Amino acid sequence: MTAPATTQTVFARLAREHEGLTDLDRQIMRAFEQLMNGRPEITDGSMTAVNIAAEAGVSRASYYRSPVAAAIKEILAAPEVKRPETDTLKAEVTRLRKELRDLRQDKAAEIRELKDAAATYANQIQTLTLRNKEVEDDARKLRVQLAQHSDGVVRPLHS
Protein backbone atom coordinates (compact mmCIF):
# COMPACT_ATOMS: atom_id res chain seq x y z
CA MET A 1 0.00 0.00 0.00
CA THR A 2 2.91 2.33 0.63
CA ALA A 3 5.39 3.55 -1.88
CA PRO A 4 8.01 0.95 -0.83
CA ALA A 5 10.89 2.91 -2.29
CA THR A 6 10.09 5.88 -0.07
CA THR A 7 9.77 3.83 3.10
CA GLN A 8 12.83 1.71 2.32
CA THR A 9 14.87 4.74 1.29
CA VAL A 10 14.07 6.66 4.45
CA PHE A 11 14.65 3.61 6.68
CA ALA A 12 17.93 2.82 4.86
CA ARG A 13 19.13 6.40 5.34
CA LEU A 14 18.08 6.16 8.99
CA ALA A 15 20.13 2.96 9.42
CA ARG A 16 23.18 4.65 7.85
CA GLU A 17 22.87 7.79 9.95
CA HIS A 18 22.14 5.92 13.20
CA GLU A 19 24.41 2.90 13.17
CA GLY A 20 23.25 1.86 16.61
CA LEU A 21 19.55 1.23 15.86
CA THR A 22 18.14 -0.87 18.66
CA ASP A 23 15.74 -3.79 18.56
CA LEU A 24 13.09 -1.35 19.79
CA ASP A 25 13.73 0.85 16.73
CA ARG A 26 13.41 -2.18 14.45
CA GLN A 27 10.16 -3.18 16.17
CA ILE A 28 8.77 0.28 15.50
CA MET A 29 9.83 0.06 11.84
CA ARG A 30 8.14 -3.34 11.48
CA ALA A 31 4.99 -2.08 13.19
CA PHE A 32 4.88 0.93 10.86
CA GLU A 33 5.27 -1.30 7.80
CA GLN A 34 2.51 -3.60 9.09
CA LEU A 35 0.14 -0.66 9.45
CA MET A 36 1.12 0.77 6.07
CA ASN A 37 0.42 -2.60 4.46
CA GLY A 38 -2.99 -2.78 6.13
CA ARG A 39 -2.13 -5.72 8.38
CA PRO A 40 -2.59 -4.53 11.96
CA GLU A 41 -2.50 -7.21 14.62
CA ILE A 42 -3.53 -5.25 17.71
CA THR A 43 -5.02 -1.92 16.67
CA ASP A 44 -7.74 -0.68 14.33
CA GLY A 45 -5.12 0.00 11.66
CA SER A 46 -5.19 3.78 11.63
CA MET A 47 -1.82 5.46 11.28
CA THR A 48 -1.29 7.12 14.66
CA ALA A 49 1.65 7.24 17.04
CA VAL A 50 -0.42 5.35 19.61
CA ASN A 51 -1.19 2.56 17.14
CA ILE A 52 2.40 2.31 15.91
CA ALA A 53 3.63 2.07 19.50
CA ALA A 54 0.95 -0.52 20.36
CA GLU A 55 1.76 -2.63 17.29
CA ALA A 56 5.48 -2.42 18.19
CA GLY A 57 4.79 -3.28 21.82
CA VAL A 58 6.48 -0.13 23.13
CA SER A 59 5.33 2.90 25.06
CA ARG A 60 4.49 6.13 23.31
CA ALA A 61 7.38 7.81 25.09
CA SER A 62 9.77 5.18 23.71
CA TYR A 63 8.27 5.68 20.26
CA TYR A 64 8.78 9.44 20.38
CA ARG A 65 12.36 9.09 21.72
CA SER A 66 13.26 6.74 18.86
CA PRO A 67 14.88 8.24 15.75
CA VAL A 68 12.40 6.13 13.80
CA ALA A 69 9.56 8.48 14.84
CA ALA A 70 11.11 11.35 12.86
CA ALA A 71 11.66 9.03 9.87
CA ILE A 72 8.02 7.92 10.00
CA LYS A 73 6.89 11.53 10.14
CA GLU A 74 9.02 12.23 7.05
CA ILE A 75 7.55 9.23 5.22
CA LEU A 76 3.99 10.25 6.00
CA ALA A 77 4.67 13.82 4.89
CA ALA A 78 5.69 12.66 1.41
CA PRO A 79 2.79 13.23 -1.02
CA GLU A 80 3.49 10.06 -2.99
CA VAL A 81 2.97 7.84 0.06
CA LYS A 82 -0.35 6.02 -0.12
CA ARG A 83 -2.01 6.00 3.26
CA PRO A 84 -3.49 2.80 4.66
CA GLU A 85 -7.09 2.16 3.66
CA THR A 86 -8.31 2.71 7.22
CA ASP A 87 -6.94 6.25 7.23
CA THR A 88 -8.52 6.92 3.85
CA LEU A 89 -11.83 5.53 5.06
CA LYS A 90 -11.68 7.52 8.29
CA ALA A 91 -11.05 10.68 6.29
CA GLU A 92 -14.03 9.81 4.09
CA VAL A 93 -16.20 9.18 7.17
CA THR A 94 -15.13 12.54 8.59
CA ARG A 95 -15.97 14.26 5.31
CA LEU A 96 -19.35 12.52 5.12
CA ARG A 97 -20.17 13.41 8.74
CA LYS A 98 -19.43 17.05 8.01
CA GLU A 99 -21.59 16.87 4.88
CA LEU A 100 -24.39 15.26 6.91
CA ARG A 101 -24.09 17.95 9.58
CA ASP A 102 -24.29 20.65 6.91
CA LEU A 103 -27.33 18.99 5.32
CA ARG A 104 -29.05 18.74 8.70
CA GLN A 105 -28.38 22.43 9.35
CA ASP A 106 -29.77 23.32 5.91
CA LYS A 107 -32.84 21.15 6.54
CA ALA A 108 -33.40 22.73 9.96
CA ALA A 109 -33.15 26.22 8.42
CA GLU A 110 -35.60 25.24 5.69
CA ILE A 111 -38.03 23.83 8.27
CA ARG A 112 -37.80 27.07 10.29
CA GLU A 113 -38.54 29.09 7.15
CA LEU A 114 -41.51 26.86 6.29
CA LYS A 115 -42.89 27.13 9.83
CA ASP A 116 -42.56 30.92 9.65
CA ALA A 117 -44.35 30.93 6.28
CA ALA A 118 -47.11 28.68 7.67
CA ALA A 119 -47.57 31.01 10.66
CA THR A 120 -47.77 34.01 8.32
CA TYR A 121 -50.34 32.24 6.14
CA ALA A 122 -52.36 31.26 9.21
CA ASN A 123 -52.44 34.91 10.34
CA GLN A 124 -53.51 36.04 6.87
CA ILE A 125 -56.23 33.38 6.74
CA GLN A 126 -57.51 34.46 10.15
CA THR A 127 -57.56 38.13 9.07
CA LEU A 128 -59.36 37.27 5.82
CA THR A 129 -61.86 35.06 7.65
CA LEU A 130 -62.72 37.89 10.05
CA ARG A 131 -63.02 40.37 7.18
CA ASN A 132 -65.19 37.91 5.23
CA LYS A 133 -67.47 37.59 8.28
CA GLU A 134 -67.82 41.39 8.40
CA VAL A 135 -68.69 41.54 4.70
CA GLU A 136 -71.27 38.75 5.11
CA ASP A 137 -72.82 40.58 8.07
CA ASP A 138 -72.99 43.81 6.05
CA ALA A 139 -74.61 41.98 3.12
CA ARG A 140 -77.16 40.39 5.46
CA LYS A 141 -77.98 43.80 7.00
CA LEU A 142 -78.40 45.33 3.54
CA ARG A 143 -80.73 42.52 2.48
CA VAL A 144 -82.83 43.04 5.63
CA GLN A 145 -82.86 46.77 5.01
CA LEU A 146 -84.01 46.26 1.43
CA ALA A 147 -86.71 43.86 2.53
CA GLN A 148 -88.02 46.26 5.21
CA HIS A 149 -88.07 49.31 2.97
CA SER A 150 -89.79 48.58 -0.26
CA ASP A 151 -89.01 52.06 -1.57
CA GLY A 152 -85.61 50.70 -2.82
CA VAL A 153 -83.52 53.18 -0.89
CA VAL A 154 -80.46 51.72 0.77
CA ARG A 155 -78.91 53.62 3.63
CA PRO A 156 -75.17 53.42 4.37
CA LEU A 157 -74.25 50.93 7.10
CA HIS A 158 -71.01 52.60 8.13
CA SER A 159 -70.50 56.32 8.42
Side-chain angles (χ1 to χ4, degrees):
M1 289 205 72
T2 173
T6 304
T7 303
Q8 290 172 355
T9 305
V10 172
F11 283 166
R13 188 181 75 235
L14 179 68
R16 279 192 315 274
E17 291 173 358
H18 297 87
E19 294 177 12
L21 285 181
T22 65
D23 287 340
L24 184 126
D25 296 328
R26 286 179 180 66
Q27 285 175 266
I28 294 171
M29 290 177 3
R30 274 192 299 277
F32 173 73
E33 288 172 347
Q34 273 181 260
L35 288 173
M36 286 300 287
N37 292 325
R39 293 176 294 148
E41 293 178 0
I42 299 171
T43 64
D44 64 0
S46 58
M47 190 58 64
T48 64
V50 172
N51 284 356
I52 295 169
E55 291 288 337
V58 300
S59 68
R60 279 188 320 175
S62 295
Y63 168 77
Y64 285 117
R65 280 193 299 266
S66 170
V68 178
I72 289 173
K73 187 173 182 179
E74 179 185 339
I75 292 167
L76 293 176
E80 67 273 6
V81 173
K82 178 131 172 73
R83 303 287 287 203
E85 186 176 342
T86 54
D87 285 353
T88 305
L89 292 175
K90 284 185 179 189
E92 179 70 5
V93 166
T94 301
R95 184 190 66 77
L96 290 172
R97 282 187 178 150
K98 182 188 180 316
E99 185 178 329
L100 179 61
R101 186 174 50 251
D102 292 346
L103 288 172
R104 284 184 177 157
Q105 288 173 348
D106 292 347
K107 180 181 176 184
E110 185 177 355
I111 288 172
R112 280 191 301 276
E113 289 174 14
L114 291 172
K115 283 182 178 180
D116 289 345
T120 301
Y121 292 147
N123 288 339
Q124 289 296 322
I125 289 169
Q126 183 178 15
T127 302
L128 292 172
T129 301
L130 292 172
R131 180 65 184 130
N132 192 32
K133 178 70 172 133
E134 289 175 6
V135 170
E136 287 174 355
D137 287 345
D138 287 349
R140 184 183 45 74
K141 288 177 186 174
L142 288 172
R143 277 191 225 98
V144 168
Q145 196 180 76
L146 272 175
Q148 290 175 349
H149 300 88
S150 59
D151 58 359
V153 177
V154 179
R155 290 169 197 76
L157 293 176
H158 304 284
S159 315

